[in-house]
Amino acid sequence: MSWIAGDLGREQIMDRLPAIGEHFQRLYASFYSLSQLPPETVELCRLRLAQLHRSDADFALEEYPLAAGKREQLQDWHNASPFSAGERACLELAEVHAMDCSAITDAQADAVKQHFGEAGLVALLQALGVFDGFIRLGLIWQAAPAGGKQHD
Amino acid sequence: MTSAARVSPPAGNTGNVIRDSALGIVPETLDHYLALNAAIWDAGPLSAAEVELARLRNARHTGCVLCQAVRYDVAIADGLTEDKVQVIRQDDPAAQLSERERLIVAFVDQYNLDPAGIPAQLQQDLLAAFREHELLHLSLLVAWFNGSSRCAVALGGMPEAMPRLEISVPR
């Protein structure tokens, strides 16, 4: 139960200030229809952030379906086979971003650009910032995600 | 920290600092970014001075030199002084702040350092000092500025230091 607004979920709490909350949710949704980044890659990065924040509720969400095995092997993506080179570049950047955004190296940024271009790097950094924000809001409000579909 | 920008901004100059930045090369998100940023300043119950206080405290956590150098003119007009800005740059400024300001700083610090570990006492103090809509506004603006500040840092090209820069909210 959230201390800030009773038994409401995270997105329902956002809806209580719709003049801002709706814009936030539209921006969040826009990351799954980008021309620069495949939605599956975006979803992998969101799920990896959820793991790093230890947010089981966010990891249980399914904003975009993944190919078989990817969700299960995500924690060990460095060694697991189902991830493409582009996905690996994004996951590596996502991990550093989560810990210290100033520690991202030129090589890590270049690896993302090699696969998805400059616009892909910008879009990924935007998405990581918003996903990180949603996860942190859920944690600090003590409110589980209310939007999206639960992974089976 | 890198010294070279990792992305080129779009060609042209619209006069809008967001459209003219690297964010301008992702058209699918640009209008959402602009609308959310404007709503943070225009559509919530906290004063512009309180929004700016939270934004600047957050920028201290992310280490964004640009974010720390900027002052929004609406916050200055609302009464935020440079003396107050210098106070919130301290590690523990609580003694020099009002109760509301102290709690804004405490919330920003908690959000950045340990969001899952927010103490019960801080929850109670926030509920006592702020209305629900004010707490939602505070939460959403910190989430917004934290994410956009991280993005600015990660895009590179950040100088070691910058002079104070007063700007208007881009719309």
Side-chain angles (χ1 to χ4, degrees):
Chain A
M1 175 132 153
S2 171
W3 60 274
I4 199 166
D7 59 357
L8 297 180
R10 178 178 61 201
E11 284 73 10
Q12 293 167 323
I13 295 175
M14 286 185 178
D15 287 342
R16 290 172 75 95
L17 192 57
I20 298 173
E22 287 179 3
H23 287 299
F24 227 139
Q25 292 181 68
R26 283 190 205 121
L27 178 59
Y28 177 102
S30 73
F31 296 123
Y32 288 93
S33 56
L34 295 169
S35 58
Q36 300 85 4
L37 279 176
E40 187 170 5
T41 305
V42 173
E43 178 69 344
L44 284 170
C45 291
R46 184 191 68 78
L47 290 168
R48 188 67 188 125
L49 288 185
Q51 288 180 327
L52 293 170
H53 279 293
R54 299 180 183 180
S55 175
D56 294 342
D58 279 291
F59 189 75
L61 271 187
E62 181 180 279
E63 301 287 14
Y64 191 86
L66 300 178
K70 284 189 170 176
R71 177 182 286 264
E72 293 74 16
Q73 297 184 71
L74 183 57
Q75 189 141 9
D76 191 34
W77 67 266
H78 294 89
N79 301 312
S81 59
F83 302 100
S84 70
E87 289 168 345
R88 290 174 185 278
C90 292
L91 285 167
E92 182 167 357
L93 189 130
E95 288 190 347
V96 181
H97 180 277
M99 292 179 282
D100 179 2
C101 58
S102 67
I104 293 170
T105 66
D106 287 339
Q108 288 162 340
D110 287 346
V112 173
K113 286 193 288 186
Q114 182 185 337
H115 293 283
F116 303 111
E118 289 196 345
L121 174 63
V122 174
L124 178 62
L125 291 171
Q126 290 177 316
L128 292 174
V130 171
F131 293 159
D132 183 86
F134 269 61
I135 294 168
R136 285 176 187 268
L137 285 175
L139 293 172
I140 202 165
W141 287 344
Q142 298 170 348
K149 173 186 164 190
Q150 292 290 306
H151 176 66
D152 296 330
Chain B
M1 189 178 292
T2 184
S3 58
R6 291 169 171 150
V7 173
S8 302
N13 183 354
T14 68
N16 180 303
V17 295
I18 293 180
R19 287 188 188 281
D20 294 341
S21 76
L23 304 183
I25 67 174
V26 186
E28 292 96 329
T29 61
L30 185 56
D31 287 341
H32 295 300
Y33 246 73
L34 285 163
L36 176 54
N37 189 63
I40 289 288
W41 288 100
D42 298 342
L46 295 182
S47 70
E50 289 176 323
V51 172
E52 184 72 328
L53 188 108
R55 187 190 68 80
L56 287 166
R57 183 69 180 182
N58 177 74
R60 183 179 182 275
H61 282 284
T62 60
C64 178
V65 174
L66 173 63
C67 309
Q68 292 179 81
V70 161
R71 305 286 182 275
Y72 280 95
D73 56 5
V74 288
I76 304 304
D78 190 43
L80 183 70
T81 66
E82 201 56 28
D83 285 346
K84 183 76 71 178
V85 172
Q86 297 311 315
V87 167
I88 63 161
R89 285 183 163 168
Q90 299 171 13
D91 287 343
D92 185 10
Q96 300 169 73
L97 299 174
S98 71
E99 178 67 356
R100 280 175 69 93
E101 291 166 346
R102 178 187 76 79
L103 288 167
I104 287 171
V105 167
F107 182 88
V108 173
D109 291 352
Q110 193 73 44
Y111 177 94
N112 275 274
L113 300 174
D114 183 16
I118 182 169
Q121 186 62 56
L122 179 55
Q123 297 171 24
Q124 292 170 21
D125 291 348
L126 287 163
L127 289 168
F130 294 91
R131 294 177 291 117
E132 180 188 291
H133 277 193
E134 291 177 322
L135 286 177
L136 296 183
H137 189 195
L138 175 61
S139 303
L140 293 171
L141 78 87
V142 174
W144 166 242
F145 287 129
N146 187 270
S148 52
S149 186
R150 284 165 175 265
C151 183
V153 171
L155 284 170
M158 201 66 73
E160 293 294 323
M162 279 184 71
R164 182 181 180 279
L165 178 65
E166 190 170 319
I167 66 170
S168 300
V169 176
R171 302 180 190 283

